[in-house]
């Protein structure tokens, strides 16, 4: 099976995203991203028993150790960054050391942040093991941890040296997590690639059935789209904010449910539909595009509306806390239709309530 390669183009810091089956064992390829002698593998207690041995076979001849986090978003903390830094200290890691993140977005965000902090920034390699991490969190260099005051509030932009997306590891990923990753793929198409959206409509059943060929193509297309946006706007001064389509609604739903009712990708799916409905209400986009979005998400077995457990007023209150807002007004990512997302400032709260009720 062919390996797809997507290049993230950043002057002096460009890197490849390799996508395909069996990449973990293909150490001749990914070892090229490791420059020094020291490697710290950061993983978690669920992923390490499944894949750390396979990775270790490629680390022959290097001085390496591993640090395992407990599983779950609640462990994406500053305290655990400190523990990873201590592990780098124990390893005697020098400036040319490399951190390898083996896991989903939680592991990748935290390990990348630790790599950004150790000696003010060392190399790191992302080996994403969830579909969400393959198509979203491992590409683009956003790293960080949660604080009691909110999600992802502390972090740094720190690009990896390579991203190794071995599609074999998806075999052990629970179906619900897999579907949440599909939502992030749909998001990329919905924001800026109408042809990709139509392709997803044509291949929805194959993707639901985890068919390898279409899956690799979908991952590569989403990564290519994201890589283009990141290359144009690495630190989110403008266009990169579009990647947050559905997030303000989604985050409010995630927070209202204490991060235990819905997964991030599920929040994004519902959030995109709400953003499409709001765009329709504001006269920005046709209803037919909302219907196409809803129908694609349903075919992928993703939720398309809030559970109804949380009052609209509570969700609006949470949306007011979003990082994208500017003094006192809501700033949302809406769309003019499939593939045409737009940043809209000054959205009236009554209109938002109108789609939440
Ligand atoms: N940096 C970014 O740009 C960015 C973008 C999107 C999301 N994120 C972050 O990503 C995180 C969510 O990532 P996620 O959805 O990957 O969640 P996750 O890292 O919690 O992984 C989901 C679950 O799957 C398990 N798992 C991982 N790989 C597995 C495998 N191959 N087989 C079996 N089980 C496996 C994990 O242990 C976990 O229980 C959030 O913290 C979010 O803030 C970051």
């Amino acid at each position: 099976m062919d390996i797809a390669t997507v290049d993230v183009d950043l002057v002096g810091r460009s890197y490849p995203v390799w996508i395909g089956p069996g990449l973990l064992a293909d150490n001749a390829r990914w070892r090229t991203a490791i420059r020094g002698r020291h490697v710290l593998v950061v993983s978690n207690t669920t992923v390490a028993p499944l894949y750390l041995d396979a990775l270790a076979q490629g680390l022959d001849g290097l001085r390496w150790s591993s640090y395992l986090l407990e599983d779950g978003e609640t462990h994406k903390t500053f305290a655990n960054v400190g523990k990873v830094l201590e592990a780098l200290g124990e390893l005697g890691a020098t400036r040319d050391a490399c951190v390898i993140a083996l896991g989903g977005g939680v592991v990748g965000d935290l390990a990348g942040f630790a790599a950004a902090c150790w000696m003010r920034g060392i190399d790191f390699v992302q080996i994403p093991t969830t579909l969400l991490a393959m198509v979203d969190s491992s590409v683009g260099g956003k790293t960080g941890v949660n604080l009691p005051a909110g999600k992802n509030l502390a972090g740094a932009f720190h690009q990896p040296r390579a991203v190794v997306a071995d599609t074999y590891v998806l075999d052990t990923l629970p179906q619900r997590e897999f579907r949440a990753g599909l939502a992030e793929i749909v998001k990329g198409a919905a924001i800026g690639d109408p042809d990709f959206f139509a392709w997803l409509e044509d291949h929805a059943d194959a993707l639901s059935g985890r068919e390898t060929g279409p899956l690799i193509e979908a991952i590569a297309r989403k990564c290519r789209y994201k890589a283009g946006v990141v290359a144009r706007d690495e630190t989110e001064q403008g266009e990169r904010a579009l990647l947050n389509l559905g997030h303000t609604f989604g985050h409010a739903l995630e927070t209202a449910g204490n991060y235990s009712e819905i997964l991030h990708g599920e929040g994004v799916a519902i959030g995109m539909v709400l953003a499409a409905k709001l765009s329709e209400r504001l006269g920005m986009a046709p209803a037919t595009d909302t219907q196409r979005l809803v129908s694609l998400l349903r075919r992928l077995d993703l939720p398309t509306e809030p559970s109804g457990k949380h009052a609209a007023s509570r969700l609006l209150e949470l949306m007011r806390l979003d990082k994208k807002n500017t003094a006192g007004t809501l700033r949302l990512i809406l769309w003019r239709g499939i593939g045409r997302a737009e940043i809209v400032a000054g959205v009236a709260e009554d209109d938002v309530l109108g789609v939440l009720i």
Side-chain angles (χ1 to χ4, degrees):
M1 183 76 64
D2 284 343
I3 303 297
T5 304
V6 173
D7 291 307
V8 184
D9 264 323
L10 295 161
V11 181
R13 290 166 303 131
S14 295
Y15 58 94
V17 182
W18 293 303
I19 304 145
L23 278 166
L24 204 52
D26 186 5
N27 56 64
R29 183 190 295 267
W30 53 258
R31 276 280 291 255
T32 56
I34 299 172
R35 294 191 273 199
R37 273 187 322 122
H38 297 108
V39 170
L40 180 73
V41 180
V42 180
S43 189
N44 76 13
T45 50
T46 302
V47 177
L50 296 168
Y51 301 112
L52 185 56
D53 279 352
L55 175 64
Q57 290 182 15
L59 296 174
D60 239 17
L62 294 170
R63 180 143 178 228
W64 72 276
S65 63
S66 59
Y67 184 83
L68 304 191
L69 300 162
E70 295 293 310
D71 193 353
E73 183 73 35
T74 51
H75 301 285
K76 202 173 107 175
T77 60
F78 223 96
N80 278 331
V81 173
K83 301 250 177 67
V84 172
L85 295 177
E86 281 167 28
L88 281 162
E90 278 161 29
L91 183 67
T94 43
R95 274 212 68 95
D96 56 358
C98 180
V99 171
I100 296 182
L102 174 70
V106 167
V107 167
D109 279 12
L110 187 144
F113 188 38
C117 295
W118 180 254
M119 296 192 179
R120 301 193 181 86
I122 58 167
D123 289 348
F124 92 110
V125 168
Q126 289 269 21
I127 305 190
T129 62
T130 63
L131 184 57
L132 181 136
M134 289 181 187
V135 300
D136 199 357
S137 60
S138 68
V139 177
K142 277 193 183 177
T143 72
V145 292
N146 304 325
L147 297 179
K151 213 171 129 82
N152 295 328
L153 283 184
F157 286 100
H158 189 58
Q159 301 289 344
R161 290 259 305 153
V163 180
V164 184
D166 183 343
T167 48
Y168 276 160
V169 307
L170 296 176
D171 287 352
T172 53
L173 191 68
Q175 184 62 9
R176 191 173 169 202
E177 296 288 351
F178 181 80
R179 288 197 310 257
L182 290 177
E184 295 287 352
I185 293 177
V186 172
K187 189 185 75 181
I191 295 166
D193 192 342
D195 291 342
F196 183 28
F197 195 94
W199 182 92
L200 289 171
E201 290 175 315
D202 289 343
H203 294 83
D205 298 336
L207 290 170
S208 273
R210 301 189 184 207
E211 281 179 32
T212 311
L215 192 56
I216 292 174
E217 181 161 353
I219 297 170
R221 285 180 83 151
K222 168 66 203 287
C223 287
R224 200 165 293 127
Y225 173 71
K226 183 165 181 184
V229 174
V230 169
R232 289 188 293 274
D233 179 23
E234 184 181 2
T235 55
E236 200 165 315
Q237 304 305 308
E239 185 187 358
R240 187 165 181 173
L242 296 178
L243 296 176
N244 294 319
L245 175 68
H247 280 210
T248 309
F249 287 107
H251 278 163
L253 291 163
E254 277 182 272
T255 311
N258 266 329
Y259 296 96
S260 58
E261 272 174 21
I262 56 168
L263 301 177
H264 176 71
E266 293 169 338
V268 166
I270 301 167
M272 284 192 289
V273 174
L274 292 171
K277 286 187 175 161
L278 181 53
S279 307
E280 208 184 302
R281 186 183 168 102
L282 297 175
M284 288 174 59
T288 45
D289 283 19
T290 310
Q291 284 149 16
R292 275 178 73 190
L293 176 65
V294 168
S295 128
L296 177 59
L297 293 170
R298 284 202 183 132
R299 285 176 65 203
L300 298 172
D301 215 6
L302 280 157
T304 56
E305 48 190 55
S307 65
K309 276 189 202 153
H310 309 286
S313 55
R314 167 73 182 137
L315 295 173
L316 178 63
E317 191 184 307
L318 290 167
M319 287 176 71
R320 288 195 195 112
L321 301 175
D322 189 86
K323 280 184 283 202
K324 284 184 295 305
N325 293 336
T326 40
T329 73
L330 284 176
R331 195 159 161 265
L332 298 172
I333 313 300
L334 302 179
W335 74 1
R336 300 238 165 236
I338 288 161
R340 293 195 292 148
E342 212 172 276
I343 303 170
V344 181
V347 180
E349 293 192 347
D350 278 352
D351 284 318
V352 176
L353 278 173
V355 298
L356 283 171
I357 288 167

